[in-house]
Structure formats: structure tokens, C-alpha cells
Amino acid sequence: MFPSDTTTDVRDQRVAVLPVGSTEQHGPHLPLATDSVIAWTIASEIAAKYPVRLLPPIQFSCSQEHAGWPGTVSISARTLVSVITDIADSLRHNGVTGLVLVNGHGGNYVLSNIVQEGEGLALFPGRDDWAFAREKAGIETSAYSDMHAGELETSILLHAHPDLIRPGYETADHLAEDRRHLLTLGLAPYTESGVIGRPSLASARKGELLLAGLAESFRHYLGLFDLGTA
């Protein structure tokens, strides 16, 4: 998960995409790096289609709600803010005036505040972008129910990285519709396996269409940086 560009290749690129993932449990069938892999995969799709600079992913973020499972590693929100702010400042020093955070982990709430307070920043995919991609792909589980290691995430990995999926996703479905105290209690009271969603409905075709839908949506973001493609 590293770009192969040289300094010459990126000389004229004024917008960068930064994948922000996590290292956290994703049940018994998806790897700890799932969110990082998905963020990287989305960002790579974008970089293949648009004139943007692809950055290496941030692989640790705010996963405190998954602390009940081995393998989860978190950093604080304030640390994530500092890291991204430093990256944005460094890029700006080298002529990159736009930075898009490609978020692969729903628990990274602080990214919205970073963009809100910053300059030349955007956050992708947004809620509407996911809704468009989900509809395009025919995802059957609602966005709320398909929270973690479910139909959407499993579909993307089935398409882009099938070698990373372990057996058993076909029988791993678990729904927890009442999660009102998730931030206080973490995920453990709502699932024994770590899964909340219906991975049994996943398919490689859905994953392909999800990525295509997200790449299509991204063209609107380039317009934010005056590249004339909105």
C-alpha cells in the first residue's frame, strides 16, 4: 500500500488524496487492516482516474470502541488531528493546495472537524457519496445496519483483495439495531463476533460497483479546488 511515484511524477500535482484507515478487529473473516485497505483502494481508484497525488495511508486512528478485541490499536483524536495538520502544512509548503482525506473508518469523527477548521481540505466519501455508491451497487443492508465487517466492506475486499478474506463470512451475519450507548460502552455489548451487518450478502460485483460509484462521485470534489472538472 505505497505509491510508486518519484518526485518528478508529482511535481505538478496540486491536489493530494490521503487514505485514513485504522487497525482494528473486523470479525473472524476480515483483517485488522480492513479500513486501511479500503481507504487505500478507494484513493487508488481516484488517483487512477483524476490528476491527484496519492499519499501513503495512515493506518492507526480512533478505534477505541473496538478495544475489547485483540489486535486493535488506537491513537487519540488529538494525535490524529496533529498528524493530519502537519501533513497538510507540509504539502502546502511544497505547492499542494488541496488535500482530500479519504476516510475508511466510521469512528474517525474528528476528521470532520479537521476539515471544518482547516483550509483547502475536504473529506471523502461523504454520506451522499456512500448513498449513491450503495444504490449503484445494489447493497441490500441499510447503512445503519451494515456497520462493521458487513455487506459493504466484505464486498469491496471480495472484489479488490479476495486473498485477504478468511472463510466463514457467509454465516457471520449479526444485526444490532439498538446501539444507543456505543460511544460509552464500545462495541462489545452489541456483538460477540465483532460483526454488525450481513456479510453473507456480499459479492465481488457489488464491490466493483461500489468503487465505481465512489470514483464517479469524486469528480465533484475536484471542483472545490478549481481544476475545472466539477
Side-chain angles (χ1 to χ4, degrees):
M1 292 196 296
F2 295 99
S4 59
D5 298 316
T6 69
T7 185
T8 303
D9 296 328
V10 303
R11 179 173 296 160
D12 298 323
Q13 293 174 338
R14 296 293 176 259
V15 175
V17 290
L18 175 62
V20 183
S22 70
T23 299
E24 64 185 40
Q25 71 82 21
H26 273 77
H29 67 280
L30 295 184
L32 297 167
T34 292
D35 290 343
S36 298
V37 172
I38 288 176
W40 168 259
T41 301
I42 295 170
S44 298
E45 290 280 327
I46 291 168
K49 189 172 182 180
Y50 302 100
V52 298
R53 177 177 170 183
L54 176 61
L55 298 172
I58 295 175
Q59 299 190 59
F60 299 106
S61 60
C62 304
S63 301
Q64 287 81 2
E65 68 272 24
H66 299 277
W69 283 270
T72 297
V73 180
S74 295
I75 60 176
S76 69
R78 61 184 176 275
T79 298
L80 186 57
V81 170
S82 295
V83 169
I84 292 177
T85 301
D86 284 353
I87 291 171
D89 289 344
S90 180
L91 289 168
R92 200 172 294 115
H93 179 75
N94 283 282
V96 177
T97 55
L99 176 61
V100 182
L101 310 179
V102 179
N103 183 35
H105 172 47
N108 287 335
Y109 312 111
V110 72
L111 296 184
S112 296
N113 297 115
I114 296 174
V115 171
Q116 180 186 37
E117 296 175 6
E119 181 178 350
L121 302 176
L123 180 59
F124 182 83
R127 183 179 301 176
D128 291 340
D129 305 312
W130 277 121
F132 173 75
R134 291 173 66 89
E135 183 176 0
K136 185 180 182 74
I139 296 294
E140 300 174 56
T141 316
S142 72
Y144 180 81
S145 299
D146 194 40
M147 176 197 174
H148 196 66
E151 183 181 2
L152 184 146
E153 291 187 315
T154 305
S155 290
I156 291 177
L157 264 67
L158 279 172
H159 165 64
H161 304 280
D163 55 309
L164 296 181
I165 297 183
R166 302 287 180 90
Y169 72 89
E170 304 90 344
T171 58
D173 292 4
H174 174 76
L175 297 179
E177 301 296 270
D178 184 355
R179 308 190 298 270
R180 70 187 73 185
H181 300 301
L182 175 65
L183 289 180
T184 301
L185 301 177
L187 202 66
Y190 304 106
T191 171
E192 293 184 6
S193 67
V195 176
I196 294 182
R198 296 190 290 176
S200 68
L201 298 177
S203 73
R205 178 58 175 164
K206 290 178 180 178
E208 180 183 8
L209 292 173
L210 279 164
L211 291 173
L214 292 174
E216 183 178 342
S217 288
F218 188 79
R219 66 185 179 89
H220 301 290
Y221 285 73
L222 287 183
L224 301 174
F225 306 110
D226 297 322
L227 295 187
T229 56

Coordinates of all heavy atoms in Angstrom, one line a residue, residues 109-199:
Y109 N -14.5 10.4 13.7 CA -15.4 11.6 13.7 C -14.7 12.9 13.6 O -15.1 13.9 13.1 CB -16.3 11.6 15.0 CG -16.9 10.3 15.3 CD1 -16.5 9.6 16.4 CD2 -18.0 9.8 14.5 CE1 -17.1 8.3 16.7 CE2 -18.6 8.6 14.8 CZ -18.1 7.9 15.9 OH -18.7 6.7 16.2
V110 N -13.5 12.9 14.2 CA -12.7 14.2 14.3 C -12.3 14.7 12.9 O -11.9 15.9 12.8 CB -11.5 14.0 15.2 CG1 -10.4 13.1 14.5 CG2 -10.9 15.3 15.6
L111 N -12.3 13.8 11.9 CA -11.9 14.3 10.6 C -12.8 15.4 10.1 O -12.3 16.3 9.4 CB -11.9 13.1 9.6 CG -10.9 12.0 9.9 CD1 -11.0 11.0 8.7 CD2 -9.5 12.5 10.0
S112 N -14.1 15.3 10.4 CA -15.0 16.4 10.0 C -14.6 17.8 10.6 O -14.6 18.8 9.9 CB -16.4 16.1 10.5 OG -16.9 14.9 9.8
N113 N -14.1 17.7 11.9 CA -13.7 19.0 12.5 C -12.4 19.5 11.9 O -12.2 20.7 11.8 CB -13.5 18.8 14.0 CG -14.8 18.4 14.7 OD1 -14.9 17.3 15.2 ND2 -15.7 19.4 14.7
I114 N -11.5 18.6 11.5 CA -10.2 19.0 10.9 C -10.5 19.7 9.6 O -10.0 20.8 9.3 CB -9.3 17.8 10.6 CG1 -8.9 17.1 11.9 CG2 -8.1 18.2 9.7 CD1 -8.1 15.8 11.7
V115 N -11.4 19.2 8.8 CA -11.8 19.8 7.5 C -12.5 21.2 7.8 O -12.3 22.2 7.1 CB -12.7 18.9 6.7 CG1 -13.3 19.6 5.5 CG2 -11.9 17.7 6.2
Q116 N -13.4 21.1 8.8 CA -14.2 22.3 9.1 C -13.3 23.5 9.5 O -13.5 24.6 9.2 CB -15.2 22.0 10.3 CG -16.0 23.1 10.8 CD -16.8 22.7 12.0 OE1 -16.3 22.0 12.9 NE2 -18.1 23.2 12.1
E117 N -12.2 23.2 10.3 CA -11.4 24.2 10.8 C -10.2 24.6 9.8 O -9.6 25.6 10.0 CB -10.8 23.8 12.1 CG -11.8 23.6 13.2 CD -11.2 23.1 14.5 OE1 -10.0 22.9 14.6 OE2 -12.0 22.8 15.4
G118 N -9.9 23.7 8.9 CA -8.8 23.9 8.0 C -9.1 24.7 6.8 O -10.2 25.3 6.6
E119 N -8.1 24.7 5.9 CA -8.2 25.5 4.6 C -7.7 24.6 3.5 O -6.6 23.9 3.6 CB -7.4 26.8 4.7 CG -7.5 27.6 3.4 CD -6.7 28.9 3.5 OE1 -6.2 29.2 4.6 OE2 -6.5 29.5 2.5
G120 N -8.5 24.5 2.4 CA -8.1 23.6 1.3 C -8.2 22.2 1.6 O -7.5 21.3 1.0
L121 N -9.1 21.8 2.5 CA -9.3 20.4 2.9 C -10.7 19.9 2.5 O -11.7 20.7 2.5 CB -9.1 20.2 4.4 CG -7.8 20.6 5.0 CD1 -7.8 20.5 6.5 CD2 -6.7 19.8 4.4
A122 N -10.9 18.6 2.2 CA -12.2 18.0 2.0 C -12.1 16.6 2.6 O -11.1 16.0 2.8 CB -12.5 18.0 0.5
L123 N -13.3 16.1 2.9 CA -13.5 14.8 3.4 C -14.3 13.9 2.5 O -15.4 14.3 2.1 CB -14.2 14.8 4.8 CG -14.4 13.5 5.6 CD1 -13.1 12.8 5.8 CD2 -15.1 13.8 6.9
F124 N -13.8 12.7 2.1 CA -14.5 11.8 1.2 C -14.3 10.4 1.6 O -13.3 10.1 2.2 CB -13.8 12.0 -0.2 CG -14.4 11.2 -1.3 CD1 -15.6 11.7 -2.0 CD2 -13.9 10.0 -1.7 CE1 -16.1 10.9 -3.0 CE2 -14.5 9.2 -2.7 CZ -15.6 9.7 -3.3
P125 N -15.3 9.6 1.4 CA -16.6 9.8 0.9 C -17.6 10.4 1.9 O -17.5 10.0 3.1 CB -17.1 8.4 0.4 CG -15.9 7.5 0.5 CD -15.1 8.1 1.6
G126 N -18.4 11.3 1.5 CA -19.5 11.8 2.4 C -20.7 10.9 2.4 O -20.7 9.9 1.7
R127 N -21.6 11.3 3.2 CA -22.8 10.4 3.3 C -23.5 10.2 2.0 O -24.0 9.1 1.6 CB -23.8 11.1 4.3 CG -25.0 10.2 4.6 CD -25.9 10.9 5.6 NE -25.2 11.1 6.9 CZ -25.7 11.8 7.9 NH1 -27.0 12.3 7.9 NH2 -25.1 11.9 9.1
D128 N -23.7 11.3 1.2 CA -24.3 11.3 -0.1 C -23.5 10.4 -1.1 O -24.1 9.7 -1.9 CB -24.6 12.6 -0.6 CG -25.6 13.4 0.1 OD1 -26.4 12.8 0.9 OD2 -25.6 14.7 0.0
D129 N -22.2 10.5 -1.0 CA -21.4 9.7 -1.9 C -21.6 8.2 -1.6 O -21.7 7.4 -2.5 CB -19.9 10.0 -1.7 CG -19.6 11.5 -1.9 OD1 -20.1 12.1 -2.9 OD2 -19.0 12.1 -1.0
W130 N -21.6 7.8 -0.3 CA -21.8 6.4 0.0 C -23.2 6.0 -0.4 O -23.4 4.9 -0.9 CB -21.7 6.2 1.5 CG -20.3 6.0 2.0 CD1 -19.6 6.7 2.9 CD2 -19.4 4.9 1.6 NE1 -18.3 6.2 3.1 CE2 -18.2 5.1 2.3 CE3 -19.5 3.9 0.7 CZ2 -17.1 4.3 2.1 CZ3 -18.4 3.0 0.5 CH2 -17.2 3.2 1.2
A131 N -24.2 6.9 -0.2 CA -25.6 6.5 -0.6 C -25.7 6.2 -2.1 O -26.3 5.3 -2.5 CB -26.5 7.6 -0.2
F132 N -25.0 7.1 -2.9 CA -25.0 6.9 -4.3 C -24.4 5.6 -4.7 O -24.9 4.8 -5.5 CB -24.3 8.1 -5.0 CG -24.1 7.9 -6.5 CD1 -25.1 8.1 -7.4 CD2 -22.8 7.6 -7.0 CE1 -25.0 7.9 -8.7 CE2 -22.6 7.4 -8.3 CZ -23.7 7.6 -9.2
A133 N -23.2 5.3 -4.1 CA -22.5 4.1 -4.4 C -23.2 2.9 -4.0 O -23.2 1.8 -4.7 CB -21.1 4.1 -3.8
R134 N -23.9 2.9 -2.8 CA -24.6 1.8 -2.3 C -25.8 1.5 -3.2 O -26.1 0.3 -3.5 CB -25.1 2.1 -0.9 CG -24.0 2.1 0.2 CD -24.6 2.6 1.5 NE -25.6 1.6 2.0 CZ -25.2 0.6 2.8 NH1 -24.0 0.4 3.2 NH2 -26.1 -0.3 3.2
E135 N -26.5 2.5 -3.7 CA -27.6 2.3 -4.6 C -27.1 1.7 -5.9 O -27.7 0.8 -6.5 CB -28.3 3.6 -4.9 CG -29.5 3.4 -5.7 CD -30.3 4.7 -5.9 OE1 -29.9 5.7 -5.3 OE2 -31.3 4.7 -6.6
K136 N -26.0 2.2 -6.4 CA -25.4 1.8 -7.7 C -25.0 0.3 -7.6 O -25.2 -0.5 -8.6 CB -24.2 2.6 -8.1 CG -23.6 2.3 -9.4 CD -22.4 3.2 -9.6 CE -21.7 3.0 -11.0 NZ -22.6 3.6 -12.1
A137 N -24.5 -0.1 -6.5 CA -24.0 -1.5 -6.3 C -25.1 -2.5 -5.9 O -24.9 -3.7 -5.9 CB -22.9 -1.5 -5.2
G138 N -26.3 -1.9 -5.5 CA -27.4 -2.8 -5.1 C -27.1 -3.4 -3.7 O -27.5 -4.5 -3.4
I139 N -26.5 -2.6 -2.8 CA -26.3 -3.1 -1.4 C -27.7 -3.2 -0.7 O -28.5 -2.3 -0.7 CB -25.4 -2.1 -0.7 CG1 -24.0 -2.1 -1.3 CG2 -25.3 -2.5 0.8 CD1 -23.2 -3.4 -1.2
E140 N -27.9 -4.3 -0.2 CA -29.3 -4.6 0.4 C -29.4 -4.2 1.8 O -30.5 -3.8 2.3 CB -29.6 -6.1 0.3 CG -29.5 -6.6 -1.2 CD -29.7 -8.1 -1.2 OE1 -30.7 -8.7 -0.7 OE2 -28.8 -8.8 -1.8
T141 N -28.3 -4.2 2.6 CA -28.4 -3.8 4.0 C -28.4 -2.3 4.1 O -27.6 -1.7 3.4 CB -27.2 -4.5 4.8 OG1 -27.0 -5.8 4.4 CG2 -27.5 -4.4 6.3
S142 N -29.2 -1.8 5.1 CA -29.2 -0.3 5.2 C -27.8 0.2 5.8 O -27.0 -0.6 6.4 CB -30.3 0.1 6.2 OG -29.9 -0.3 7.5
A143 N -27.5 1.4 5.6 CA -26.3 2.0 6.0 C -26.1 1.9 7.5 O -25.0 1.6 8.0 CB -26.1 3.4 5.6
Y144 N -27.2 2.0 8.3 CA -27.2 1.9 9.7 C -26.9 0.4 10.1 O -26.1 0.2 11.0 CB -28.5 2.3 10.4 CG -28.4 2.3 11.9 CD1 -27.8 3.2 12.6 CD2 -29.0 1.2 12.5 CE1 -27.8 3.1 14.0 CE2 -29.0 1.1 13.9 CZ -28.4 2.1 14.7 OH -28.3 2.0 16.0
S145 N -27.6 -0.5 9.5 CA -27.4 -1.9 9.9 C -26.1 -2.5 9.5 O -25.5 -3.4 10.2 CB -28.6 -2.8 9.3 OG -29.8 -2.3 9.8
D146 N -25.6 -2.0 8.4 CA -24.3 -2.5 7.8 C -23.1 -1.8 8.4 O -22.4 -1.1 7.7 CB -24.4 -2.3 6.3 CG -23.3 -3.1 5.6 OD1 -23.0 -4.3 6.0 OD2 -22.7 -2.6 4.6
M147 N -23.0 -1.9 9.7 CA -22.0 -1.0 10.4 C -20.6 -1.5 10.3 O -19.6 -0.7 10.1 CB -22.4 -1.0 11.9 CG -21.4 -0.2 12.7 SD -21.5 -0.4 14.5 CE -20.1 0.5 15.0
H148 N -20.3 -2.8 10.4 CA -18.9 -3.3 10.6 C -18.7 -4.7 10.1 O -19.4 -5.6 10.6 CB -18.6 -3.2 12.1 CG -17.1 -3.2 12.4 ND1 -16.2 -2.2 12.0 CD2 -16.4 -4.2 13.0 CE1 -15.0 -2.6 12.4 NE2 -15.1 -3.7 12.9
A149 N -17.8 -4.8 9.1 CA -17.5 -6.1 8.6 C -18.7 -6.8 7.9 O -18.8 -8.0 7.9 CB -16.9 -7.1 9.7
G150 N -19.6 -6.0 7.4 CA -20.8 -6.5 6.8 C -20.7 -6.5 5.3 O -19.7 -6.8 4.7
E151 N -21.9 -6.3 4.7 CA -22.0 -6.5 3.2 C -21.1 -5.6 2.4 O -20.5 -6.0 1.4 CB -23.5 -6.2 2.8 CG -23.8 -6.4 1.4 CD -25.3 -6.1 1.0 OE1 -26.0 -5.7 2.0 OE2 -25.7 -6.3 -0.1
L152 N -21.1 -4.3 2.8 CA -20.3 -3.3 2.0 C -18.8 -3.6 2.1 O -18.1 -3.7 1.1 CB -20.6 -1.9 2.5 CG -19.9 -0.8 1.7 CD1 -20.8 0.5 1.7 CD2 -18.6 -0.4 2.4
E153 N -18.2 -3.7 3.3 CA -16.8 -3.9 3.5 C -16.4 -5.2 2.9 O -15.3 -5.3 2.2 CB -16.4 -3.8 4.9 CG -16.5 -2.4 5.5 CD -16.0 -2.3 6.9 OE1 -16.3 -3.2 7.8 OE2 -15.3 -1.3 7.2
T154 N -17.1 -6.2 3.1 CA -16.8 -7.6 2.6 C -16.8 -7.6 1.1 O -16.0 -8.2 0.4 CB -17.7 -8.6 3.2 OG1 -17.6 -8.6 4.6 CG2 -17.3 -10.0 2.7
S155 N -17.8 -6.8 0.5 CA -17.9 -6.8 -1.0 C -16.6 -6.1 -1.6 O -16.1 -6.6 -2.6 CB -19.1 -6.0 -1.4 OG -20.3 -6.7 -1.1
I156 N -16.2 -5.0 -1.0 CA -15.0 -4.3 -1.5 C -13.8 -5.2 -1.5 O -13.0 -5.3 -2.5 CB -14.8 -3.0 -0.8 CG1 -15.9 -2.0 -1.1 CG2 -13.4 -2.4 -1.2 CD1 -15.8 -0.7 -0.3
L157 N -13.6 -5.9 -0.4 CA -12.4 -6.8 -0.4 C -12.6 -8.0 -1.3 O -11.6 -8.5 -1.8 CB -12.2 -7.2 1.1 CG -11.1 -6.4 1.8 CD1 -11.6 -5.0 2.0 CD2 -10.7 -7.0 3.1
L158 N -13.8 -8.5 -1.4 CA -14.0 -9.6 -2.4 C -13.6 -9.2 -3.8 O -13.1 -10.0 -4.5 CB -15.5 -10.1 -2.3 CG -15.9 -11.0 -1.2 CD1 -17.4 -11.2 -1.2 CD2 -15.2 -12.4 -1.3
H159 N -13.9 -8.0 -4.1 CA -13.5 -7.5 -5.5 C -12.0 -7.2 -5.6 O -11.3 -7.6 -6.5 CB -14.3 -6.3 -5.8 CG -13.8 -5.5 -7.0 ND1 -13.7 -6.1 -8.3 CD2 -13.2 -4.3 -7.1 CE1 -13.2 -5.2 -9.1 NE2 -12.9 -4.1 -8.4
A160 N -11.5 -6.3 -4.6 CA -10.2 -5.8 -4.8 C -9.1 -6.6 -4.2 O -7.9 -6.6 -4.6 CB -10.2 -4.4 -4.2
H161 N -9.4 -7.3 -3.1 CA -8.4 -8.1 -2.4 C -9.0 -9.4 -1.8 O -9.0 -9.6 -0.6 CB -7.8 -7.3 -1.2 CG -7.3 -5.9 -1.6 ND1 -6.0 -5.8 -2.2 CD2 -7.9 -4.7 -1.6 CE1 -5.8 -4.5 -2.5 NE2 -6.9 -3.8 -2.1
P162 N -9.4 -10.3 -2.7 CA -10.1 -11.5 -2.2 C -9.1 -12.4 -1.4 O -9.6 -13.2 -0.6 CB -10.5 -12.2 -3.5 CG -9.6 -11.6 -4.6 CD -9.4 -10.2 -4.2
D163 N -7.8 -12.3 -1.6 CA -6.9 -13.1 -0.8 C -6.8 -12.7 0.7 O -6.3 -13.5 1.5 CB -5.5 -12.9 -1.4 CG -5.0 -11.4 -1.5 OD1 -5.8 -10.6 -2.0 OD2 -3.9 -11.1 -1.0
L164 N -7.4 -11.6 1.0 CA -7.4 -11.1 2.4 C -8.6 -11.7 3.2 O -8.6 -11.5 4.4 CB -7.4 -9.6 2.5 CG -6.2 -8.9 1.9 CD1 -6.3 -7.4 2.1 CD2 -4.9 -9.4 2.6
I165 N -9.6 -12.3 2.6 CA -10.8 -12.7 3.3 C -10.6 -14.2 3.7 O -10.3 -15.0 2.9 CB -12.0 -12.5 2.3 CG1 -12.2 -11.1 2.0 CG2 -13.3 -13.1 3.0 CD1 -13.4 -10.8 1.2
R166 N -11.0 -14.4 5.0 CA -11.0 -15.7 5.5 C -12.3 -16.4 5.3 O -13.4 -15.7 5.2 CB -10.7 -15.7 7.0 CG -9.4 -15.0 7.4 CD -8.2 -15.9 7.1 NE -6.9 -15.2 7.4 CZ -6.3 -15.3 8.6 NH1 -6.9 -16.1 9.6 NH2 -5.2 -14.7 8.8
P167 N -12.4 -17.7 5.3 CA -13.7 -18.4 5.2 C -14.6 -18.1 6.4 O -14.2 -17.7 7.5 CB -13.3 -19.9 5.3 CG -11.8 -19.9 4.9 CD -11.3 -18.6 5.4
G168 N -15.9 -18.2 6.1 CA -16.9 -18.0 7.2 C -17.8 -16.8 7.1 O -18.7 -16.7 7.8
Y169 N -17.5 -15.9 6.2 CA -18.3 -14.7 6.1 C -19.7 -15.0 5.7 O -20.7 -14.2 6.0 CB -17.7 -13.6 5.1 CG -17.7 -14.0 3.7 CD1 -18.8 -13.6 2.9 CD2 -16.7 -14.7 3.0 CE1 -18.9 -13.9 1.5 CE2 -16.8 -15.0 1.7 CZ -17.9 -14.6 0.9 OH -17.9 -15.0 -0.4
E170 N -19.9 -16.1 5.0 CA -21.3 -16.5 4.5 C -22.2 -16.8 5.7 O -23.4 -16.7 5.5 CB -21.2 -17.7 3.6 CG -20.3 -17.6 2.4 CD -18.8 -18.0 2.7 OE1 -18.5 -18.1 3.9 OE2 -18.1 -18.2 1.7
T171 N -21.7 -17.1 6.9 CA -22.5 -17.4 8.0 C -22.3 -16.5 9.2 O -22.6 -16.8 10.3 CB -22.3 -18.9 8.5 OG1 -20.9 -19.1 8.8 CG2 -22.6 -19.9 7.4
A172 N -21.7 -15.3 9.0 CA -21.3 -14.4 10.0 C -22.3 -13.3 10.3 O -22.0 -12.4 11.1 CB -19.9 -13.8 9.7
D173 N -23.4 -13.3 9.7 CA -24.4 -12.2 9.9 C -24.8 -12.0 11.3 O -25.0 -13.0 12.1 CB -25.7 -12.5 9.1 CG -25.4 -12.5 7.6 OD1 -24.3 -12.3 7.1 OD2 -26.4 -12.6 6.8
H174 N -24.8 -10.7 11.7 CA -25.3 -10.4 13.0 C -25.7 -8.9 13.0 O -25.0 -8.0 12.5 CB -24.2 -10.5 14.1 CG -24.6 -10.0 15.4 ND1 -25.4 -10.7 16.3 CD2 -24.3 -8.8 16.1 CE1 -25.6 -9.9 17.4 NE2 -24.9 -8.8 17.3
L175 N -27.0 -8.7 13.4 CA -27.5 -7.3 13.4 C -27.7 -6.8 14.9 O -28.0 -7.6 15.8 CB -28.8 -7.2 12.7 CG -28.8 -7.5 11.2 CD1 -30.2 -7.5 10.6 CD2 -27.8 -6.6 10.5
A176 N -27.4 -5.6 15.1 CA -27.7 -5.0 16.4 C -28.2 -3.6 16.2 O -27.5 -2.6 16.1 CB -26.3 -4.9 17.2
E177 N -29.5 -3.5 16.1 CA -30.2 -2.2 15.7 C -30.2 -1.2 16.8 O -30.3 0.0 16.5 CB -31.6 -2.5 15.2 CG -31.6 -3.5 14.0 CD -30.9 -3.0 12.7 OE1 -31.6 -2.3 11.9 OE2 -29.7 -3.2 12.6
D178 N -30.2 -1.6 18.0 CA -30.2 -0.7 19.1 C -28.8 -0.6 19.7 O -28.3 -1.4 20.5 CB -31.2 -1.1 20.2 CG -31.3 -0.1 21.3 OD1 -30.5 0.9 21.3 OD2 -32.1 -0.3 22.2
R179 N -28.1 0.5 19.3 CA -26.7 0.7 19.7 C -26.5 2.1 20.3 O -25.5 2.8 20.2 CB -25.7 0.5 18.5 CG -25.9 -0.7 17.7 CD -24.7 -0.9 16.7 NE -24.6 0.1 15.7 CZ -25.2 0.1 14.6 NH1 -26.0 -0.9 14.2 NH2 -25.1 1.2 13.7
R180 N -27.5 2.5 21.1 CA -27.6 3.9 21.6 C -26.4 4.3 22.5 O -26.1 5.4 22.6 CB -28.9 4.1 22.2 CG -29.1 3.4 23.6 CD -30.5 3.6 24.1 NE -31.5 2.8 23.4 CZ -32.8 2.8 23.6 NH1 -33.3 3.7 24.5 NH2 -33.6 2.1 22.9
H181 N -25.8 3.3 23.1 CA -24.7 3.6 24.1 C -23.3 3.2 23.5 O -22.4 2.9 24.3 CB -25.0 3.0 25.4 CG -26.3 3.5 26.1 ND1 -26.5 4.8 26.3 CD2 -27.4 2.8 26.4 CE1 -27.7 4.9 26.9 NE2 -28.2 3.7 26.9
L182 N -23.2 3.1 22.2 CA -22.0 2.6 21.6 C -20.7 3.4 22.0 O -19.7 2.9 22.4 CB -22.1 2.6 20.1 CG -20.9 2.3 19.3 CD1 -20.4 0.8 19.5 CD2 -21.1 2.5 17.8
L183 N -20.9 4.8 22.0 CA -19.7 5.6 22.3 C -19.3 5.4 23.8 O -18.1 5.5 24.1 CB -20.0 7.1 22.1 CG -20.2 7.5 20.6 CD1 -20.5 9.0 20.5 CD2 -18.9 7.2 19.8
T184 N -20.2 5.1 24.7 CA -19.9 5.0 26.1 C -19.4 3.6 26.4 O -18.4 3.4 27.1 CB -21.1 5.2 26.9 OG1 -21.6 6.6 26.7 CG2 -20.8 5.1 28.4
L185 N -20.0 2.6 25.8 CA -19.7 1.2 26.2 C -18.8 0.5 25.2 O -18.3 -0.6 25.5 CB -21.0 0.4 26.3 CG -22.0 0.9 27.3 CD1 -23.3 0.1 27.2 CD2 -21.5 0.9 28.7
G186 N -18.6 1.1 24.0 CA -17.9 0.3 23.0 C -18.8 -0.7 22.2 O -20.0 -0.8 22.5
L187 N -18.2 -1.4 21.4 CA -18.9 -2.3 20.5 C -19.2 -3.7 21.2 O -20.2 -4.4 20.8 CB -18.1 -2.6 19.2 CG -18.9 -3.1 18.0 CD1 -19.9 -2.0 17.5 CD2 -17.9 -3.5 16.9
A188 N -18.4 -4.1 22.2 CA -18.5 -5.4 22.7 C -19.9 -5.8 23.2 O -20.3 -6.9 23.1 CB -17.5 -5.6 23.9
P189 N -20.7 -4.9 23.9 CA -22.0 -5.3 24.3 C -23.0 -5.6 23.2 O -24.1 -6.2 23.5 CB -22.5 -4.1 25.1 CG -21.3 -3.3 25.5 CD -20.4 -3.5 24.3
Y190 N -22.7 -5.3 22.0 CA -23.6 -5.4 20.9 C -23.3 -6.6 19.9 O -24.0 -6.9 19.0 CB -23.7 -4.1 20.1 CG -24.1 -3.0 21.0 CD1 -23.1 -2.0 21.4 CD2 -25.4 -2.8 21.5 CE1 -23.5 -1.0 22.2 CE2 -25.7 -1.8 22.3 CZ -24.8 -0.9 22.7 OH -25.1 0.2 23.5
T191 N -22.1 -7.2 20.1 CA -21.7 -8.3 19.2 C -20.6 -9.1 19.8 O -19.6 -8.5 20.3 CB -21.2 -7.8 17.8 OG1 -20.7 -8.8 17.1 CG2 -20.2 -6.6 17.9
E192 N -20.7 -10.4 19.8 CA -19.7 -11.3 20.3 C -18.6 -11.5 19.3 O -17.4 -11.6 19.6 CB -20.3 -12.6 20.7 CG -21.2 -12.5 21.9 CD -21.7 -13.9 22.4 OE1 -21.2 -14.9 21.8 OE2 -22.5 -14.0 23.3
S193 N -19.0 -11.5 18.0 CA -18.0 -11.8 16.9 C -17.2 -10.6 16.5 O -16.2 -10.7 15.9 CB -18.7 -12.4 15.7 OG -19.6 -11.4 15.1
G194 N -17.8 -9.4 16.8 CA -17.2 -8.2 16.2 C -17.9 -7.7 14.9 O -17.6 -6.6 14.4
V195 N -18.8 -8.5 14.4 CA -19.5 -8.2 13.2 C -20.8 -7.6 13.5 O -21.6 -8.1 14.4 CB -19.7 -9.5 12.3 CG1 -20.6 -9.2 11.1 CG2 -18.4 -10.1 11.9
I196 N -21.2 -6.5 12.8 CA -22.5 -6.0 12.8 C -22.9 -5.7 11.4 O -22.4 -4.7 10.8 CB -22.7 -4.7 13.7 CG1 -22.4 -5.0 15.2 CG2 -24.1 -4.1 13.5 CD1 -22.6 -3.9 16.1
G197 N -23.7 -6.5 10.8 CA -24.0 -6.4 9.4 C -24.3 -7.8 8.8 O -24.5 -8.8 9.5
R198 N -24.4 -7.8 7.5 CA -24.8 -9.1 6.8 C -23.8 -9.4 5.7 O -24.0 -9.2 4.5 CB -26.2 -9.0 6.2 CG -27.3 -8.9 7.3 CD -28.7 -9.0 6.7 NE -29.0 -7.9 5.9 CZ -30.2 -7.9 5.2 NH1 -31.0 -8.9 5.2 NH2 -30.4 -6.8 4.4
P199 N -22.6 -9.9 6.1 CA -21.6 -10.2 5.1 C -22.0 -11.3 4.1 O -21.4 -11.4 3.0 CB -20.4 -10.6 5.9 CG -20.9 -11.0 7.2 CD -22.1 -10.1 7.4

